mmCIF file of all heavy atoms in Angstrom:
data_model
loop_
_atom_site.group_PDB
_atom_site.id
_atom_site.type_symbol
_atom_site.label_atom_id
_atom_site.label_comp_id
_atom_site.label_asym_id
_atom_site.label_seq_id
_atom_site.Cartn_x
_atom_site.Cartn_y
_atom_site.Cartn_z
ATOM 1 N N PHE A 23 -8.752 -8.859 -15.181
ATOM 2 C CA PHE A 23 -8.899 -7.555 -14.551
ATOM 3 C C PHE A 23 -8.808 -6.476 -15.623
ATOM 4 O O PHE A 23 -8.349 -6.710 -16.742
ATOM 5 C CB PHE A 23 -7.812 -7.344 -13.492
ATOM 6 C CG PHE A 23 -6.448 -7.780 -13.935
ATOM 7 C CD1 PHE A 23 -5.589 -6.913 -14.588
ATOM 8 C CD2 PHE A 23 -6.026 -9.090 -13.732
ATOM 9 C CE1 PHE A 23 -4.349 -7.317 -15.019
ATOM 10 C CE2 PHE A 23 -4.771 -9.516 -14.155
ATOM 11 C CZ PHE A 23 -3.934 -8.621 -14.807
ATOM 12 N N GLU A 24 -9.257 -5.273 -15.245
ATOM 13 C CA GLU A 24 -9.268 -4.145 -16.176
ATOM 14 C C GLU A 24 -8.398 -3.020 -15.614
ATOM 15 O O GLU A 24 -7.537 -3.240 -14.769
ATOM 16 C CB GLU A 24 -10.712 -3.662 -16.393
ATOM 17 C CG GLU A 24 -11.725 -4.772 -16.661
ATOM 18 C CD GLU A 24 -11.373 -5.650 -17.853
ATOM 19 O OE1 GLU A 24 -10.823 -5.140 -18.853
ATOM 20 O OE2 GLU A 24 -11.630 -6.871 -17.796
ATOM 21 N N THR A 25 -8.663 -1.787 -16.058
ATOM 22 C CA THR A 25 -7.996 -0.615 -15.499
ATOM 23 C C THR A 25 -8.287 -0.524 -14.002
ATOM 24 O O THR A 25 -9.349 -0.941 -13.543
ATOM 25 C CB THR A 25 -8.493 0.648 -16.226
ATOM 26 O OG1 THR A 25 -8.105 0.554 -17.604
ATOM 27 C CG2 THR A 25 -7.897 1.909 -15.633
ATOM 28 N N ASP A 26 -7.349 0.028 -13.238
ATOM 29 C CA ASP A 26 -7.451 0.103 -11.777
ATOM 30 C C ASP A 26 -7.685 -1.287 -11.177
ATOM 31 O O ASP A 26 -8.638 -1.521 -10.439
ATOM 32 C CB ASP A 26 -8.577 1.049 -11.335
ATOM 33 C CG ASP A 26 -8.370 2.473 -11.798
ATOM 34 O OD1 ASP A 26 -7.208 2.867 -12.036
ATOM 35 O OD2 ASP A 26 -9.367 3.202 -11.934
ATOM 36 N N PRO A 27 -6.818 -2.244 -11.460
ATOM 37 C CA PRO A 27 -7.037 -3.626 -11.017
ATOM 38 C C PRO A 27 -6.895 -3.796 -9.512
ATOM 39 O O PRO A 27 -6.176 -3.045 -8.843
ATOM 40 C CB PRO A 27 -5.934 -4.395 -11.742
ATOM 41 C CG PRO A 27 -4.835 -3.394 -11.904
ATOM 42 C CD PRO A 27 -5.536 -2.090 -12.173
ATOM 43 N N VAL A 28 -7.583 -4.802 -8.992
ATOM 44 C CA VAL A 28 -7.444 -5.201 -7.593
ATOM 45 C C VAL A 28 -6.588 -6.464 -7.572
ATOM 46 O O VAL A 28 -6.984 -7.502 -8.094
ATOM 47 C CB VAL A 28 -8.815 -5.452 -6.946
ATOM 48 C CG1 VAL A 28 -8.640 -5.921 -5.501
ATOM 49 C CG2 VAL A 28 -9.666 -4.187 -6.997
ATOM 50 N N LEU A 29 -5.408 -6.361 -6.981
ATOM 51 C CA LEU A 29 -4.426 -7.442 -7.025
ATOM 52 C C LEU A 29 -3.966 -7.818 -5.625
ATOM 53 O O LEU A 29 -4.069 -7.025 -4.689
ATOM 54 C CB LEU A 29 -3.211 -7.006 -7.858
ATOM 55 C CG LEU A 29 -3.493 -6.497 -9.282
ATOM 56 C CD1 LEU A 29 -2.241 -5.879 -9.877
ATOM 57 C CD2 LEU A 29 -4.014 -7.623 -10.155
ATOM 58 N N SER A 30 -3.448 -9.026 -5.496
ATOM 59 C CA SER A 30 -2.909 -9.508 -4.225
ATOM 60 C C SER A 30 -1.393 -9.589 -4.316
ATOM 61 O O SER A 30 -0.856 -10.228 -5.228
ATOM 62 C CB SER A 30 -3.482 -10.892 -3.898
ATOM 63 O OG SER A 30 -2.790 -11.499 -2.832
ATOM 64 N N ARG A 31 -0.710 -8.939 -3.368
ATOM 65 C CA ARG A 31 0.745 -9.014 -3.332
ATOM 66 C C ARG A 31 1.173 -10.124 -2.380
ATOM 67 O O ARG A 31 0.840 -10.098 -1.192
ATOM 68 C CB ARG A 31 1.359 -7.674 -2.893
ATOM 69 C CG ARG A 31 2.892 -7.667 -2.986
ATOM 70 C CD ARG A 31 3.488 -6.348 -2.544
ATOM 71 N NE ARG A 31 3.111 -5.245 -3.406
ATOM 72 C CZ ARG A 31 3.695 -4.944 -4.566
ATOM 73 N NH1 ARG A 31 4.682 -5.715 -5.016
ATOM 74 N NH2 ARG A 31 3.296 -3.906 -5.271
ATOM 75 N N ASP A 32 1.875 -11.092 -2.925
ATOM 76 C CA ASP A 32 2.397 -12.218 -2.137
ATOM 77 C C ASP A 32 1.310 -12.904 -1.326
ATOM 78 O O ASP A 32 1.539 -13.361 -0.196
ATOM 79 C CB ASP A 32 3.524 -11.746 -1.232
ATOM 80 C CG ASP A 32 4.725 -11.241 -2.026
ATOM 81 O OD1 ASP A 32 4.860 -11.623 -3.203
ATOM 82 O OD2 ASP A 32 5.518 -10.463 -1.471
ATOM 83 N N GLY A 33 0.102 -12.964 -1.893
ATOM 84 C CA GLY A 33 -0.993 -13.695 -1.255
ATOM 85 C C GLY A 33 -1.717 -12.943 -0.180
ATOM 86 O O GLY A 33 -2.574 -13.503 0.505
ATOM 87 N N GLY A 34 -1.413 -11.650 -0.002
ATOM 88 C CA GLY A 34 -2.068 -10.857 1.027
ATOM 89 C C GLY A 34 -3.420 -10.342 0.590
ATOM 90 O O GLY A 34 -3.918 -10.680 -0.493
ATOM 91 N N PRO A 35 -4.079 -9.531 1.425
ATOM 92 C CA PRO A 35 -5.400 -8.994 1.095
ATOM 93 C C PRO A 35 -5.353 -8.199 -0.206
ATOM 94 O O PRO A 35 -4.392 -7.461 -0.459
ATOM 95 C CB PRO A 35 -5.723 -8.082 2.281
ATOM 96 C CG PRO A 35 -4.868 -8.585 3.399
ATOM 97 C CD PRO A 35 -3.612 -9.091 2.758
ATOM 98 N N PRO A 36 -6.358 -8.324 -1.057
ATOM 99 C CA PRO A 36 -6.377 -7.605 -2.332
ATOM 100 C C PRO A 36 -6.358 -6.089 -2.125
ATOM 101 O O PRO A 36 -6.983 -5.566 -1.203
ATOM 102 C CB PRO A 36 -7.681 -8.057 -2.978
ATOM 103 C CG PRO A 36 -7.989 -9.374 -2.336
ATOM 104 C CD PRO A 36 -7.503 -9.250 -0.932
ATOM 105 N N GLU A 37 -5.637 -5.402 -2.992
ATOM 106 C CA GLU A 37 -5.560 -3.944 -2.965
ATOM 107 C C GLU A 37 -5.774 -3.410 -4.377
ATOM 108 O O GLU A 37 -5.387 -4.052 -5.356
ATOM 109 C CB GLU A 37 -4.182 -3.474 -2.491
ATOM 110 C CG GLU A 37 -3.793 -3.921 -1.098
ATOM 111 C CD GLU A 37 -2.391 -3.453 -0.743
ATOM 112 O OE1 GLU A 37 -2.092 -2.265 -0.985
ATOM 113 O OE2 GLU A 37 -1.605 -4.286 -0.260
ATOM 114 N N LYS A 38 -6.359 -2.210 -4.470
ATOM 115 C CA LYS A 38 -6.564 -1.582 -5.775
ATOM 116 C C LYS A 38 -5.314 -0.807 -6.169
ATOM 117 O O LYS A 38 -4.740 -0.066 -5.377
ATOM 118 C CB LYS A 38 -7.771 -0.644 -5.745
ATOM 119 C CG LYS A 38 -8.012 0.076 -7.071
ATOM 120 C CD LYS A 38 -9.337 0.812 -7.099
ATOM 121 C CE LYS A 38 -10.494 -0.154 -7.280
ATOM 122 N NZ LYS A 38 -11.758 0.555 -7.597
ATOM 123 N N TYR A 39 -4.907 -0.989 -7.429
ATOM 124 C CA TYR A 39 -3.774 -0.270 -8.001
ATOM 125 C C TYR A 39 -4.301 0.630 -9.112
ATOM 126 O O TYR A 39 -4.928 0.151 -10.054
ATOM 127 C CB TYR A 39 -2.729 -1.251 -8.540
ATOM 128 C CG TYR A 39 -2.015 -1.996 -7.445
ATOM 129 C CD1 TYR A 39 -2.637 -3.053 -6.764
ATOM 130 C CD2 TYR A 39 -0.731 -1.645 -7.064
ATOM 131 C CE1 TYR A 39 -1.984 -3.727 -5.745
ATOM 132 C CE2 TYR A 39 -0.067 -2.314 -6.046
ATOM 133 C CZ TYR A 39 -0.705 -3.359 -5.389
ATOM 134 O OH TYR A 39 -0.061 -4.022 -4.372
ATOM 135 N N ARG A 40 -4.053 1.910 -9.003
ATOM 136 C CA ARG A 40 -4.600 2.862 -9.949
ATOM 137 C C ARG A 40 -3.759 2.923 -11.227
ATOM 138 O O ARG A 40 -2.539 3.042 -11.174
ATOM 139 C CB ARG A 40 -4.645 4.264 -9.328
ATOM 140 C CG ARG A 40 -5.555 4.366 -8.111
ATOM 141 C CD ARG A 40 -7.015 4.289 -8.510
ATOM 142 N NE ARG A 40 -7.911 4.423 -7.355
ATOM 143 C CZ ARG A 40 -9.233 4.367 -7.437
ATOM 144 N NH1 ARG A 40 -9.815 4.177 -8.603
ATOM 145 N NH2 ARG A 40 -9.969 4.491 -6.345
ATOM 146 N N GLY A 41 -4.455 2.824 -12.353
ATOM 147 C CA GLY A 41 -3.771 2.979 -13.624
ATOM 148 C C GLY A 41 -4.152 1.911 -14.629
ATOM 149 O O GLY A 41 -4.993 1.038 -14.363
ATOM 150 N N GLU A 42 -3.553 1.982 -15.800
ATOM 151 C CA GLU A 42 -3.787 1.000 -16.859
ATOM 152 C C GLU A 42 -3.088 -0.295 -16.469
ATOM 153 O O GLU A 42 -1.909 -0.296 -16.104
ATOM 154 C CB GLU A 42 -3.251 1.546 -18.192
ATOM 155 C CG GLU A 42 -3.791 0.833 -19.416
ATOM 156 C CD GLU A 42 -3.083 -0.479 -19.690
ATOM 157 O OE1 GLU A 42 -1.839 -0.532 -19.526
ATOM 158 O OE2 GLU A 42 -3.768 -1.459 -20.055
ATOM 159 N N SER A 43 -3.789 -1.406 -16.542
ATOM 160 C CA SER A 43 -3.310 -2.638 -15.903
ATOM 161 C C SER A 43 -2.008 -3.169 -16.496
ATOM 162 O O SER A 43 -1.127 -3.628 -15.765
ATOM 163 C CB SER A 43 -4.393 -3.714 -15.954
ATOM 164 O OG SER A 43 -4.659 -4.120 -17.282
ATOM 165 N N SER A 44 -1.850 -3.123 -17.822
ATOM 166 C CA SER A 44 -0.622 -3.650 -18.423
ATOM 167 C C SER A 44 0.584 -2.835 -17.974
ATOM 168 O O SER A 44 1.663 -3.382 -17.695
ATOM 169 C CB SER A 44 -0.726 -3.640 -19.947
ATOM 170 O OG SER A 44 -1.747 -4.522 -20.393
ATOM 171 N N ALA A 45 0.411 -1.512 -17.892
ATOM 172 C CA ALA A 45 1.505 -0.650 -17.441
ATOM 173 C C ALA A 45 1.871 -0.942 -15.992
ATOM 174 O O ALA A 45 3.058 -0.947 -15.627
ATOM 175 C CB ALA A 45 1.107 0.822 -17.606
ATOM 176 N N ILE A 46 0.863 -1.192 -15.153
ATOM 177 C CA ILE A 46 1.123 -1.515 -13.743
ATOM 178 C C ILE A 46 1.963 -2.787 -13.633
ATOM 179 O O ILE A 46 2.954 -2.839 -12.890
ATOM 180 C CB ILE A 46 -0.209 -1.679 -12.986
ATOM 181 C CG1 ILE A 46 -0.897 -0.322 -12.839
ATOM 182 C CG2 ILE A 46 0.006 -2.323 -11.618
ATOM 183 C CD1 ILE A 46 -2.323 -0.414 -12.340
ATOM 184 N N LEU A 47 1.594 -3.815 -14.375
ATOM 185 C CA LEU A 47 2.322 -5.088 -14.302
ATOM 186 C C LEU A 47 3.769 -4.923 -14.760
ATOM 187 O O LEU A 47 4.699 -5.469 -14.151
ATOM 188 C CB LEU A 47 1.622 -6.145 -15.149
ATOM 189 C CG LEU A 47 0.193 -6.512 -14.767
ATOM 190 C CD1 LEU A 47 -0.306 -7.632 -15.663
ATOM 191 C CD2 LEU A 47 0.084 -6.910 -13.303
ATOM 192 N N VAL A 48 3.977 -4.187 -15.841
ATOM 193 C CA VAL A 48 5.330 -4.020 -16.364
ATOM 194 C C VAL A 48 6.204 -3.235 -15.388
ATOM 195 O O VAL A 48 7.384 -3.573 -15.185
ATOM 196 C CB VAL A 48 5.282 -3.355 -17.749
ATOM 197 C CG1 VAL A 48 6.653 -2.786 -18.132
ATOM 198 C CG2 VAL A 48 4.831 -4.371 -18.794
ATOM 199 N N GLU A 49 5.663 -2.205 -14.748
ATOM 200 C CA GLU A 49 6.458 -1.457 -13.772
ATOM 201 C C GLU A 49 6.852 -2.351 -12.590
ATOM 202 O O GLU A 49 7.973 -2.273 -12.079
ATOM 203 C CB GLU A 49 5.699 -0.225 -13.286
ATOM 204 C CG GLU A 49 5.493 0.834 -14.340
ATOM 205 C CD GLU A 49 6.797 1.314 -14.973
ATOM 206 O OE1 GLU A 49 7.805 1.435 -14.250
ATOM 207 O OE2 GLU A 49 6.799 1.545 -16.201
ATOM 208 N N GLU A 50 5.931 -3.205 -12.159
ATOM 209 C CA GLU A 50 6.260 -4.152 -11.086
ATOM 210 C C GLU A 50 7.339 -5.125 -11.542
ATOM 211 O O GLU A 50 8.269 -5.447 -10.790
ATOM 212 C CB GLU A 50 5.001 -4.909 -10.663
ATOM 213 C CG GLU A 50 3.990 -4.088 -9.908
ATOM 214 C CD GLU A 50 4.425 -3.802 -8.476
ATOM 215 O OE1 GLU A 50 5.243 -4.572 -7.932
ATOM 216 O OE2 GLU A 50 3.946 -2.808 -7.905
ATOM 217 N N ALA A 51 7.228 -5.594 -12.781
ATOM 218 C CA ALA A 51 8.214 -6.534 -13.312
ATOM 219 C C ALA A 51 9.579 -5.879 -13.423
ATOM 220 O O ALA A 51 10.615 -6.499 -13.126
ATOM 221 C CB ALA A 51 7.750 -7.052 -14.668
ATOM 222 N N ILE A 52 9.617 -4.623 -13.845
ATOM 223 C CA ILE A 52 10.887 -3.909 -13.957
ATOM 224 C C ILE A 52 11.567 -3.801 -12.594
ATOM 225 O O ILE A 52 12.779 -4.028 -12.462
ATOM 226 C CB ILE A 52 10.653 -2.521 -14.583
ATOM 227 C CG1 ILE A 52 10.395 -2.667 -16.085
ATOM 228 C CG2 ILE A 52 11.837 -1.594 -14.322
ATOM 229 C CD1 ILE A 52 9.981 -1.384 -16.774
ATOM 230 N N ARG A 53 10.797 -3.457 -11.565
ATOM 231 C CA ARG A 53 11.375 -3.374 -10.219
ATOM 232 C C ARG A 53 11.933 -4.723 -9.790
ATOM 233 O O ARG A 53 13.003 -4.810 -9.186
ATOM 234 C CB ARG A 53 10.322 -2.879 -9.224
ATOM 235 C CG ARG A 53 10.131 -1.379 -9.237
ATOM 236 C CD ARG A 53 9.315 -0.919 -8.048
ATOM 237 N NE ARG A 53 7.906 -1.225 -8.211
ATOM 238 C CZ ARG A 53 7.040 -0.423 -8.843
ATOM 239 N NH1 ARG A 53 7.445 0.720 -9.365
ATOM 240 N NH2 ARG A 53 5.766 -0.754 -8.929
ATOM 241 N N PHE A 54 11.197 -5.774 -10.109
ATOM 242 C CA PHE A 54 11.638 -7.127 -9.744
ATOM 243 C C PHE A 54 12.934 -7.490 -10.458
ATOM 244 O O PHE A 54 13.879 -8.028 -9.843
ATOM 245 C CB PHE A 54 10.536 -8.131 -10.086
ATOM 246 C CG PHE A 54 10.926 -9.564 -9.924
ATOM 247 C CD1 PHE A 54 11.045 -10.126 -8.666
ATOM 248 C CD2 PHE A 54 11.196 -10.358 -11.030
ATOM 249 C CE1 PHE A 54 11.417 -11.457 -8.508
ATOM 250 C CE2 PHE A 54 11.564 -11.683 -10.890
ATOM 251 C CZ PHE A 54 11.677 -12.234 -9.624
ATOM 252 N N ILE A 55 13.016 -7.203 -11.739
ATOM 253 C CA ILE A 55 14.232 -7.515 -12.496
ATOM 254 C C ILE A 55 15.415 -6.724 -11.946
ATOM 255 O O ILE A 55 16.517 -7.258 -11.761
ATOM 256 C CB ILE A 55 14.016 -7.222 -13.994
ATOM 257 C CG1 ILE A 55 12.978 -8.201 -14.580
ATOM 258 C CG2 ILE A 55 15.330 -7.321 -14.765
ATOM 259 C CD1 ILE A 55 12.485 -7.824 -15.956
ATOM 260 N N ASP A 56 15.199 -5.440 -11.671
ATOM 261 C CA ASP A 56 16.279 -4.613 -11.124
ATOM 262 C C ASP A 56 16.756 -5.134 -9.764
ATOM 263 O O ASP A 56 17.960 -5.131 -9.470
ATOM 264 C CB ASP A 56 15.807 -3.165 -10.985
ATOM 265 C CG ASP A 56 15.730 -2.443 -12.327
ATOM 266 O OD1 ASP A 56 16.206 -3.009 -13.331
ATOM 267 O OD2 ASP A 56 15.170 -1.327 -12.367
#
């Protein structure tokens, strides 16, 4: 995937997430770790 990736959360319908993809993943990971 590239910028503004379309991702599936917990296997649900794909949704577009706005932003640079690596930054999006890291923010999600940070929330998960917290």
